[in-house]
Amino acid sequence: SVLAEAGEKETLMLDIGTNGEMVLGKSGSYVCCATAAGPAFEGAEIAMGMPAASGAISKVWLEDGKICCSTINDAPAVGICGSGLIDALAVFLETELLDETGLIADEDEVEEAYAGYLGEDEDGTCVYLTDTVKVTQADVRKLQLAKASIAAGIRILLSERNISVTDVEQVILAGGFGSFLNKKSAAAIGLIPEELEPVTISVGNAAGEGAGDALCGTVHTQKVQRCLYGRNVFRIKN
């Protein structure tokens, strides 16, 4: 149903999670691929990562020179979920707690107002969001790998469509994680191209709704025509 609603607009559809499924196209002709993003977006293999459950930091923002965060159910912070981690890295970049390579700064390299967020643990420098919840250098590297996988998939689809990023007219974020993803933060860390932030929307659990439509017979059967170059990229035509 999401494909049908895309209509004549060049549309990029993203379902971001352990596997980053994505589709790009319009007018019944699409290319699609899946990238192995890994579990970082879902809080796994992150020092204080956790699912989007009570007590998980889910949003992080900068306000009046302070790093602020909120948790699910407004419970005491016990960890951080994927959306909070992406927000945190965007804020770290803005405050220069993190450089463009993903390296956490030393105290003498940042403004005094933000130096107090830096700390040390057994693995080196980290950034504290609360007195107990931190983001480590290893966390940053794992998120970089995950977001690079998604970004690479988008570039491949653009290449297969022989278009540039500015030709994309809308981006649809699907899935439980995508529904809570801050598109500004996603653009800030390079998860999606900055040019696409203004045309990005979230649609919730589109996979579940699509499966329901398929079971009810309201979606036309789609045929995979060919696989391109062994890269898990497919062309689909209604």
Side-chain angles (χ1 to χ4, degrees), residues 131-171:
D131 291 341
T132 56
V133 179
K134 63 187 177 182
V135 177
T136 71
Q137 183 66 71
D139 294 340
V140 175
R141 296 307 185 199
K142 287 172 182 175
L143 188 69
Q144 282 181 297
L145 290 173
K147 74 98 179 177
S149 176
I150 300 296
I154 293 172
R155 289 190 180 188
I156 289 172
L157 295 188
L158 289 170
S159 176
E160 294 300 332
R161 288 285 292 166
N162 195 29
I163 62 174
S164 69
V165 68
T166 55
D167 293 317
V168 178
E169 297 172 89
Q170 67 176 348
V171 179

Side-chain angles (χ1 to χ4, degrees), residues 1-2 205-220:
S1 61
V2 175
N205 188 11
E209 292 181 15
D213 285 345
L215 288 171
C216 293
T218 57
V219 175
H220 294 295

Side-chain angles (χ1 to χ4, degrees), residues 40-226:
F41 291 132
E42 296 167 351
E45 297 184 4
I46 300 298
M48 300 198 70
M50 62 182 290
S54 184
I57 292 175
S58 57
K59 295 181 180 179
V60 181
W61 68 96
L62 195 63
E63 185 176 318
D64 297 328
K66 296 181 179 180
I67 298 176
C68 305
C69 56
S70 63
T71 64
I72 294 175
N73 295 334
D74 292 323
V78 294
I80 185 168
C81 64
S83 60
L85 189 61
I86 290 175
D87 279 352
L89 264 61
V91 168
F92 296 167
L93 284 169
E94 184 177 354
T95 57
E96 299 184 349
L97 285 165
L98 199 68
D99 71 14
E100 69 276 5
T101 72
L103 182 66
I104 295 177
D106 293 326
E107 271 191 50
D108 59 359
E109 297 175 327
V110 299
E111 293 181 29
E112 184 177 352
Y114 304 119
Y117 293 98
L118 293 169
E120 293 284 335
D121 63 10
E122 61 276 9
D123 297 317
T125 306
C126 57
V127 183
Y128 280 90
L129 294 172
T130 70
D131 291 341
T132 56
V133 179
K134 63 187 177 182
V135 177
T136 71
Q137 183 66 71
D139 294 340
V140 175
R141 296 307 185 199
K142 287 172 182 175
L143 188 69
Q144 282 181 297
L145 290 173
K147 74 98 179 177
S149 176
I150 300 296
I154 293 172
R155 289 190 180 188
I156 289 172
L157 295 188
L158 289 170
S159 176
E160 294 300 332
R161 288 285 292 166
N162 195 29
I163 62 174
S164 69
V165 68
T166 55
D167 293 317
V168 178
E169 297 172 89
Q170 67 176 348
V171 179
I172 297 173
L173 292 176
F177 174 73
S179 299
F180 296 99
L181 177 63
N182 183 318
K183 63 181 183 178
K184 182 177 180 180
S185 296
I189 70 168
L191 178 62
I192 61 173
E194 289 185 350
E195 297 92 334
L196 297 183
E197 182 200 333
V199 296
T200 298
I201 61 171
S202 296
V203 294
N205 188 11
E209 292 181 15
D213 285 345
L215 288 171
C216 293
T218 57
V219 175
H220 294 295
T221 302
Q222 296 173 329
K223 181 179 179 182
V224 177
Q225 292 187 317
R226 62 193 180 95

